[in-house]
Amino acid sequence: MEAVIASSIILAVLVVMFVIGVLAYRLRVKVLRLDTYMVAGRALGFLVTFLNMAAVIYSGFAFLGASGWAYAFGAPVLYIWIYGALAYTLAFFFAPRIWEVARGRGLLTQPDFFMWRYGSRLLMVLTALVGIVFNIPYGQLQILTTKYVLDLATYGALPTLHVAVLSFVLTMVYVFLGGMVSVAVTNVFLGSIMLAGMLGGGISLIVYHFGGLPGLFKAVEAVKPQHAYLWAAVGRNSVQWVITAAVGCGLGFWVWPQLAQMVFPARDAKVLRRSIVMTSWYHVLGIIWASLTGLVALGLGMKLAVADHAFLALTRDTFGPVVLGFIGAAGMSAALSTAAGIILTQASLLSRNIYQGWLRPTASEREVILVSRLGIVVFTLISVVLAYTAPAYLVYLLLVGYTGITQMFPGWVLGSIWRWITKEGVLAGLVAGLVVGILTCFVWPDYLGIHSIIWGLLFNLPITLVVSKLTYKGG
Amino acid sequence: MGVAERKRSIERKFMAIVALIWVMLSAVLPLVNRPDVHVFGIPLLWFWVMLWVFVVPVVLSVAYYVLEVAP
């Protein structure tokens, strides 16, 4: 009976999500132009921009990984709190500037910016390929996250991998049809559920079991006192790892191409700035309380085979099937909303920057939209196949993903501020950063306890600046 | 360099310095790492980081009001 209740709630949310996505296309998309498909015609108001951004940013990790980290490691989870705060502060000043450039020059994707700013087709194609490749494991991960959510939330009553794949495919149907309009409107619904789940679920669990934060930490320190601080000289539980992970991820946060594509659809810079402020509140009201549920599970002495199950297992054991259904639906919403943003972005990079920008510059808008839609089908199939076969090597792409993407920071952020950053500097720095980042990810993992992102940037930034100074010709 | 261009250049330098300071401040948060100290029953490190991340949206809200609403 519990399985029926919880499953019904989750499936109901899935159906509503699909209906909204399709209706958004039928009712809001009158003429399908390329800018409509990729950036909703740059017409999104505050509420849609804000919740769309939040829904794409906070993936299934918010419901599984964050609480799992708190359960397993304790204090290192604070890097997530810090990097979010850092990222939103930087975006408050930097994102409106990028938005204005994009609107003024008709830019639709992040690699469009690299083409416009540096006049380099090589940089454009390279950044498009980096954006596509490093996002592949994230797409697949959202299917698996949905599966894990369903495993717990449906008491094992459903064939969860198949249902997760089905929900992913249903999401991609409305993405295929309406592009960013469907994604954004649906994300208003999904983003609202997510926030309610994280905030409501997190605070309820803390108050129910421990009366508040002091009681929670007292219980945690009784079980694992080392969770309260950073106790190691090197490694994940060291001060330097948390600092470098927080700074590295904070700088790389807005370099992910799907977040650039969530910035461009805003109606104006004021809407964008307001959305960023509200998303910073979303961070505080959402991910912090969701991650603390891991400590609740630890404080209660729960023995979890998989740390990532902390939030949902706790909800199941504390509140029963109705609440579990809603929290499970929120977790599924988090995964699918992010997946929608990722797949649309990958398809946009493929069609706009690889196909039209490089292979066929004379392609019409209609052709590019067709290639985008084909791209959505292709990337959906790739994610589904990988979800079933789950090759181990994808984990390596995940691990190096943030490190790799953040190496575009100088070209993307500094290049939008300083005129003297050149394509030669960006290319040289990018290559150096990628090589060092990969080495410190796999060969000498987080050497000296410093995150590989920072190792990459330590070589990338000076090389970018020096080579740019040497090659800048003025004007 | 014209007057407007010089003003923009100074503004950018100012923003770059402010951004650098903000990144540095965020980076040093985990240095407050005292397991023996608690504030309102919360370990100091957790309390301090929580306070910081709550302050950030407040500051951004004020900044938004000053930059976009008040003028």
Side-chain angles (χ1 to χ4, degrees):
Chain A
M1 188 60 192
E2 287 103 346
V4 170
I5 294 171
S7 304
S8 300
I9 294 171
I10 291 171
L11 291 174
V13 167
L14 188 62
V15 168
V16 171
M17 174 198 80
F18 179 73
V19 168
I20 291 175
V22 173
L23 275 180
Y25 162 66
R26 294 297 300 271
L27 298 175
R28 299 300 300 270
V29 180
K30 304 295 179 200
V31 178
L32 192 59
R33 299 190 312 267
L34 190 58
D35 66 335
T36 310
Y37 198 75
M38 290 186 181
V39 294
R42 291 182 231 273
L44 297 186
F46 157 64
L47 192 66
V48 183
T49 303
F50 152 50
L51 285 170
N52 184 34
M53 203 180 283
V56 171
I57 289 170
Y58 294 102
S59 68
F61 180 80
F63 283 82
L64 296 179
S67 62
W69 263 66
Y71 176 88
F73 308 116
V77 78
L78 294 172
Y79 95 91
I80 300 169
W81 300 11
I82 298 169
Y83 89 64
L86 177 59
Y88 294 121
T89 314
L90 293 175
F92 183 84
F93 294 102
F94 149 75
R97 186 178 174 75
I98 287 282
W99 180 89
E100 279 169 10
V101 168
R103 187 187 65 162
R105 281 139 185 100
L107 310 180
L108 299 177
T109 62
Q110 185 192 52
D112 276 358
F113 172 85
F114 280 84
M115 181 66 203
W116 164 77
R117 171 63 177 80
Y118 301 105
S120 170
R121 189 159 276 122
L122 173 62
L123 257 181
M124 176 190 69
V125 172
L126 189 59
T127 51
L129 286 172
V130 166
I132 289 171
V133 169
F134 284 128
N135 263 314
I136 287 175
Y138 278 102
Q140 181 234 12
L141 187 63
Q142 303 317 312
I143 298 179
L144 295 179
T145 304
T146 305
K147 176 198 178 313
Y148 297 145
V149 166
L150 292 171
D151 281 339
L152 288 156
T154 61
Y155 298 82
L158 298 175
T160 50
L161 182 56
H162 300 324
V163 175
V165 166
L166 175 66
S167 59
F168 189 82
V169 170
L170 282 177
T171 305
M172 294 314 137
V173 168
Y174 69 73
V175 176
F176 177 95
L177 289 172
M180 182 59 78
V181 172
S182 289
V183 170
V185 172
T186 315
N187 281 351
V188 172
F189 172 62
L190 299 178
S192 305
I193 294 178
M194 285 161 55
L195 182 60
M198 287 191 282
L199 180 62
I203 289 182
S204 299
L205 286 167
I206 293 168
V207 170
Y208 183 91
H209 288 289
F210 297 109
L213 292 176
L216 168 64
F217 282 100
K218 189 176 174 186
V220 167
E221 287 178 280
V223 175
K224 272 201 177 160
Q226 63 268 35
H227 268 38
Y229 64 105
L230 300 165
W231 50 266
V234 288
R236 188 174 293 132
N237 288 87
S238 66
V239 169
Q240 67 269 28
W241 189 91
V242 172
I243 288 175
T244 53
V247 172
C249 291
L251 294 178
F253 193 93
W254 294 95
V255 187
W256 286 95
Q258 58 268 31
L259 292 193
Q261 211 142 335
M262 299 307 127
V263 163
F264 292 168
R267 190 173 61 214
D268 55 51
K270 185 174 174 179
V271 160
L272 176 63
R273 198 163 250 161
R274 193 170 163 203
S275 302
I276 290 168
V277 173
M278 283 310 297
T279 316
S280 73
W281 281 106
Y282 194 103
H283 179 73
V284 158
L285 296 173
I287 194 81
I288 287 178
W289 303 102
S291 58
L292 284 173
T293 60
L295 292 186
V296 176
L298 183 74
L300 290 172
M302 284 179 81
K303 297 283 184 269
L304 295 171
V306 179
D308 289 355
H309 291 175
F311 192 173
L312 286 161
L314 199 53
T315 304
R316 180 194 59 203
D317 295 348
T318 305
F319 296 126
V322 174
V323 176
L324 178 63
F326 279 109
I327 300 295
M332 180 189 70
S333 300
L336 296 179
S337 56
T338 299
I342 287 173
I343 298 287
L344 177 64
T345 301
Q346 287 177 305
S348 301
L349 299 182
L350 176 72
S351 61
R352 171 79 167 174
N353 301 115
I354 307 283
Y355 183 74
Q356 186 186 45
W358 178 36
L359 299 174
R360 200 168 142 72
T362 56
S364 66
E365 276 205 4
R366 196 173 159 170
E367 210 175 319
V368 177
I369 292 172
L370 177 63
V371 172
S372 286
R373 284 175 156 169
L374 285 173
I376 287 169
V377 174
V378 166
F379 290 118
T380 301
L381 279 173
I382 290 174
S383 296
V384 169
V385 167
L386 291 175
Y388 278 111
T389 57
Y393 64 77
L394 268 185
V395 172
Y396 295 112
L397 262 180
L398 257 178
L399 287 172
V400 81
Y402 233 115
T403 300
I405 286 285
T406 308
Q407 303 315 312
M408 296 198 293
F409 174 86
W412 177 234
V413 177
L414 301 185
S416 70
I417 302 171
W418 291 324
R419 197 172 290 175
W420 51 271
I421 303 291
T422 65
K423 68 179 178 200
E424 292 84 1
V426 169
L427 263 170
L430 180 59
V431 169
L434 282 173
V435 168
V436 173
I438 289 169
L439 284 173
T440 52
C441 208
F442 301 121
V443 180
W444 302 294
D446 295 344
Y447 187 62
L448 298 177
I450 294 172
H451 200 287
S452 55
I453 298 176
I454 296 300
W455 278 115
L457 287 176
L458 278 174
F459 285 78
N460 184 346
L461 279 169
I463 289 174
T464 300
L465 297 176
V466 168
V467 173
S468 291
K469 279 288 186 189
L470 292 173
T471 54
Y472 179 59
K473 293 180 178 66
Chain B
M1 191 187 283
V3 171
E5 182 64 30
R6 196 176 300 127
K7 189 178 171 201
R8 269 196 296 275
S9 175
I10 292 170
E11 276 175 4
R12 282 178 203 165
K13 280 187 183 145
F14 174 73
M15 276 175 53
I17 292 168
V18 168
L20 193 61
I21 292 172
W22 193 268
V23 171
M24 301 289 287
L25 281 175
S26 300
V28 300
L29 287 171
L31 292 176
V32 182
N33 189 31
R34 293 281 306 272
D36 53 326
V37 179
H38 290 67
V39 181
F40 302 119
I42 302 169
L44 180 63
L45 175 63
W46 290 81
F47 176 81
W48 176 235
V49 172
M50 201 177 286
L51 184 65
W52 175 263
V53 297
F54 267 94
V55 160
V56 164
V58 172
V59 169
L60 291 182
S61 300
V62 170
Y64 171 79
Y65 179 80
V66 167
L67 288 173
E68 301 282 359
V69 178

